[in-house]
Amino acid sequence: MGRAKVARKSTFIDMTAMCDVAFLLLSFFILTTKFKPAEPIPVTIPSSVAAKAAPLGENSFLVTISGQGKAFIELGEGEIRQNILDEFEKLKNVKFPPAAREAFLKSDLIPTSYESLSQYLAMNAEQKKKVDLPGVPVDSSGGELKDWITAGLVAYGNDTKKIHFIIKGDNSAKFPVFSHVITAFKKNEVFKYQLLTTPEGVPEGTELYNKHMKGIKQEN
Amino acid sequence: MADLDTSSGGGHKKGPGVKKGKKLSTRVDLTPMVDLGFLLITFFIFTTTMSSPTVMNLAMPKDEVKNDELTKIKESGSLTLILGDKNHVYYYEGMDPSKLQSTNYSKLREVILNKKRGTPVDDLFITIKPNSEATYKNAVDVLDEMTINDIKRYAMADLNDTEKFVVNATEKANTGQ
């Protein structure tokens, strides 16, 4: 009896193409990922519905408030460090030694009062990690932070569009420190601030949500 | 494409008794490799924080203002929020701090919306007063709530002595319970 032969097909699927795709995607993701630069001061920032991208970058003047209530200044890369240092020296009538100046241009953080700044700058990376940073002095009258802000303003001709003042506060920082930082800005006639936050979704059913649904753009 | 033809070409038949050399396939099963690839992709996607930080705008008034520059607030349209410690919020309507009521952050929106519904748009004014125990997050949350609920007029201020006294008294009473 002749039985009709059914051609046996192999169940083997060629995975080569799929493998290619998988690794292509993988390499794409790896290459496009920008690593977050290591933060000298670990801070968890609050979330908000604000949608404006942070102008972090060249001329940013970031005031960081740590959870312990200390204030630090982080300067963006580029000329801003040089400019601010020059103005600060003029303002306080001090001169930093050349070695400290050079280190300052490479360091993004001002973590102490200016008296002990050269000492901090002279440390190597290992020591910097271990040391307990006291923060830039700031109190109800503005403290030294006020002078750094003045230096920043003078260096950029009082134009807050050229120098971006941003406040980055830790969730658990107490309010008084924040208000001291604000005071330091107020004494320099700066009344508009930008608070760094992580984006969060707008809760459904609220007015802002309805606005977004209608396509009205958020003002800030 | 990647498979090589390993069969010895042609229909050359070996005679009986001649052992067939076992044909070894050069085909490699790539399934586990694909698995691995996608696993890594998933890992990278989940660990990457796509969102870059945003900024929230905040404008503060000058400390020294002349009397005629002061913002006039209608008593009926005023709502004062006092941010206390341990995520407590106290609030009162109008100008009388003794009518203090207590709530928390999850119910705050309700309070604001209630006030908003019962007040003409131009009269509504919310004053935010964080006390010394409130955290930065609390302040940002409340400011965010202003944006969410589309409150046009609000300000941040410090507590006055009456308010401090009333809040202290309320906190004491709460812990005593």
Side-chain angles (χ1 to χ4, degrees):
Chain A
M1 286 281 276
R3 226 209 272 164
K5 251 192 193 170
V6 180
R8 262 213 232 150
K9 268 188 187 160
S10 160
T11 52
F12 195 98
I13 304 167
D14 190 8
M15 280 286 168
T16 324
M18 190 144 166
C19 189
D20 287 352
V21 173
F23 278 93
L24 185 79
L25 282 174
L26 183 63
S27 35
F28 172 77
F29 276 108
I30 291 175
L31 291 179
T32 50
T33 307
K34 255 192 223 162
F35 277 99
K36 232 207 261 171
E39 289 179 1
I41 310 292
V43 159
T44 332
I45 54 176
S47 57
S48 84
V49 294
K52 192 178 157 196
L56 290 170
E58 276 226 332
N59 290 341
S60 65
F61 185 111
L62 200 70
V63 180
T64 307
I65 305 167
S66 75
Q68 287 83 40
K70 292 170 184 167
F72 301 89
I73 302 172
E74 286 176 61
L75 297 174
E77 278 184 38
E79 287 179 354
I80 186 168
R81 293 179 192 167
Q82 176 89 45
N83 294 342
I84 285 187
L85 190 62
D86 287 346
E87 291 303 330
F88 189 79
E89 281 184 336
K90 270 187 228 160
L91 190 76
K92 282 279 183 180
N93 217 355
V94 287
K95 261 282 173 254
F96 286 105
R101 277 191 75 95
E102 206 172 294
F104 185 89
L105 298 183
K106 282 179 197 150
S107 159
D108 54 353
L109 191 72
I110 307 176
T112 61
S113 61
Y114 74 93
E115 285 99 341
S116 38
L117 190 58
S118 338
Q119 203 189 331
Y120 167 79
L121 291 170
M123 285 190 253
N124 61 34
E126 283 292 300
Q127 287 168 312
K128 277 180 184 172
K129 265 182 206 162
K130 279 180 199 154
V131 78
D132 187 27
L133 299 168
V136 178
V138 57
D139 52 34
S140 50
S141 63
E144 208 180 289
L145 179 64
K146 186 186 76 189
D147 301 324
W148 284 108
I149 296 167
T150 314
L153 279 172
V154 174
Y156 287 92
N158 274 333
D159 192 346
T160 43
K161 287 205 176 68
K162 282 187 193 153
I163 178 165
H164 305 292
F165 291 113
I166 302 168
I167 300 173
K168 176 183 173 190
D170 190 90
N171 272 339
S172 58
K174 293 279 183 221
F175 187 76
V177 198
F178 175 68
S179 107
H180 293 163
V181 171
I182 294 287
T183 312
F185 277 107
K186 273 186 179 174
K187 298 243 159 154
N188 283 300
E189 302 279 310
V190 178
F191 297 107
K192 286 184 178 169
Y193 318 102
Q194 298 184 306
L195 313 181
L196 202 69
T197 54
T198 50
E200 74 177 359
V202 181
E204 264 180 54
T206 57
E207 299 212 11
L208 187 66
Y209 180 81
N210 295 340
K211 259 190 178 179
H212 281 204
M213 288 291 113
K214 282 179 204 154
I216 302 169
K217 279 258 164 124
Q218 217 169 313
E219 289 133 45
N220 49 350
Chain B
M1 193 180 76
D3 306 311
L4 293 175
D5 190 11
T6 45
S7 58
S8 40
H12 177 71
K13 272 206 174 166
K14 281 167 184 153
V18 179
K19 267 194 180 171
K20 259 190 197 168
K22 212 181 183 186
K23 262 197 265 167
L24 276 176
S25 167
T26 53
R27 218 179 228 198
V28 183
D29 187 7
L30 285 177
T31 324
M33 190 141 165
V34 175
D35 288 352
L36 180 77
F38 277 104
L39 185 81
L40 286 173
I41 291 174
T42 333
F43 172 75
F44 269 92
I45 290 177
F46 277 111
T47 51
T48 311
T49 40
M50 288 289 268
S51 48
S52 49
T54 52
V55 287
M56 169 185 205
N57 288 335
L58 170 68
M60 295 286 274
K62 277 184 199 177
D63 281 338
E64 308 87 17
V65 275
K66 287 174 212 131
N67 227 1
D68 53 332
E69 284 177 355
L70 286 174
T71 316
K72 305 272 191 300
I73 309 168
K74 274 192 186 166
E75 191 173 332
S76 61
S78 158
L79 175 68
T80 306
L81 306 173
I82 298 172
L83 318 184
D85 64 344
K86 296 184 195 112
N87 295 335
H88 284 300
V89 193
Y90 305 96
Y91 66 96
Y92 65 88
E93 294 175 25
M95 293 291 144
D96 186 6
S98 63
K99 285 177 191 157
L100 203 69
Q101 281 169 287
S102 168
T103 182
N104 57 34
Y105 286 95
S106 46
K107 289 175 195 146
L108 186 62
R109 188 170 302 148
E110 197 80 354
V111 173
I112 295 171
L113 284 177
N114 266 339
K115 180 73 184 171
K116 200 183 170 187
R117 263 181 233 121
T119 323
V121 186
D122 293 337
D123 290 352
L124 184 65
F125 194 96
I126 296 184
T127 318
I128 304 160
K129 299 188 173 184
N131 82 1
S132 55
E133 286 304 307
T135 61
Y136 173 70
K137 179 184 166 43
N138 294 154
V140 171
D141 278 350
V142 174
L143 288 171
D144 208 30
E145 209 61 38
M146 297 298 120
T147 321
I148 291 173
N149 296 315
D150 197 25
I151 306 291
K152 294 277 187 296
R153 305 201 307 159
Y154 59 90
M156 249 183 172
D158 290 324
L159 278 81
N160 59 34
D161 290 337
T162 334
E163 285 161 347
K164 273 182 197 160
F165 178 78
V166 177
V167 169
N168 271 337
T170 318
E171 268 170 9
K172 259 183 206 160
N174 282 346
T175 47
Q177 271 168 12

